[in-house]
Amino acid sequence: MTNQHDIEKAIELFKKAYKLQITGFLEDAITHYKKSLEIYPTSEARTFLGWTYSFMGWYEKAIEECHKAIEIDPDFGNPYNDIGAYYIELKRYEDAIPWLLKAKEAKRYESPQYPSFNLGRVYERLGRWLEAIREYEEAIELVPDYKLAYQALTRLQAAMN
């Protein structure tokens, strides 16, 4: 049984792992995420471990971690979006679509613009430009100053003229 001290230690390790990750110490970040998960497994730690793997180009391992994150908390939106994003990186666009659609429906997701933007990227690559435009517009509706979505929308509209 996990006690409050264990949870606090797991959170501390998670925070340290994140700092290591964003400063480029990826192997050390992986070690800390794994230690955090040993103490108290969370969907967030699984997702961020996967994200670290993706930084290393290990997309299949990243996808595995996201599946484990979904098992822990199916309401957490990040792993669904991340699976879709990793499939985009692998140029498996059709495989990305169902995961991005699930991300858009997630009950707990602080950045709901990302799956819309990523769906726009997928549809654009598949030549489904009107659907791409609709997704980019949705991302902008969710976050009006979302520059990447605005740039993608502008670029695609220009290409259609």
Side-chain angles (χ1 to χ4, degrees):
M1 184 165 175
T2 306
N3 61 40
Q4 188 61 35
H5 174 73
D6 289 341
I7 293 170
E8 289 170 6
K9 180 66 176 169
I11 291 169
E12 179 184 316
L13 286 164
F14 174 85
K15 288 178 180 177
K16 173 83 172 173
Y18 179 71
K19 287 179 184 174
L20 288 163
Q21 178 184 356
I22 62 172
T23 55
F25 296 96
L26 302 180
E27 291 181 12
D28 290 335
I30 289 168
T31 299
H32 282 76
Y33 282 129
K34 286 181 176 181
K35 286 179 182 176
S36 174
L37 287 161
E38 286 172 13
I39 296 169
Y40 186 70
T42 65
S43 185
E44 290 82 358
R46 286 279 176 210
T47 301
F48 279 66
L49 175 58
W51 193 29
T52 306
Y53 287 148
S54 78
F55 284 10
M56 301 172 88
W58 301 345
Y59 296 112
E60 296 297 338
K61 284 183 84 159
I63 290 168
E64 285 177 33
E65 289 302 325
C66 288
H67 282 291
K68 291 176 185 176
I70 291 166
E71 287 176 22
I72 295 169
D73 183 0
D75 291 337
F76 186 46
N78 296 52
Y80 297 102
N81 178 72
D82 289 0
I83 290 172
Y86 303 147
Y87 280 135
I88 292 170
E89 292 301 317
L90 293 168
K91 297 183 178 18
R92 293 172 53 185
Y93 304 119
E94 293 289 345
D95 291 336
I97 294 171
W99 294 102
L100 297 170
L101 291 172
K102 288 178 184 180
K104 288 177 67 166
E105 299 300 319
K107 293 178 185 172
R108 189 167 70 90
Y109 198 0
E110 294 176 13
S111 303
Q113 72 276 17
Y114 292 143
S116 296
F117 176 72
N118 284 329
L119 266 172
R121 293 172 55 208
V122 167
Y123 292 146
E124 185 174 351
R125 283 173 178 80
L126 293 174
R128 295 163 57 177
W129 288 6
L130 294 178
E131 289 169 281
I133 286 172
R134 192 167 45 250
E135 293 298 333
Y136 292 144
E137 288 174 338
E138 184 173 307
I140 293 166
E141 283 177 27
L142 291 165
V143 177
D145 64 345
Y146 190 17
K147 288 179 179 44
L148 287 176
Y150 181 77
Q151 290 168 349
L153 176 62
T154 303
R155 182 192 67 249
L156 186 54
Q157 288 174 329
M160 291 178 66
N161 286 332

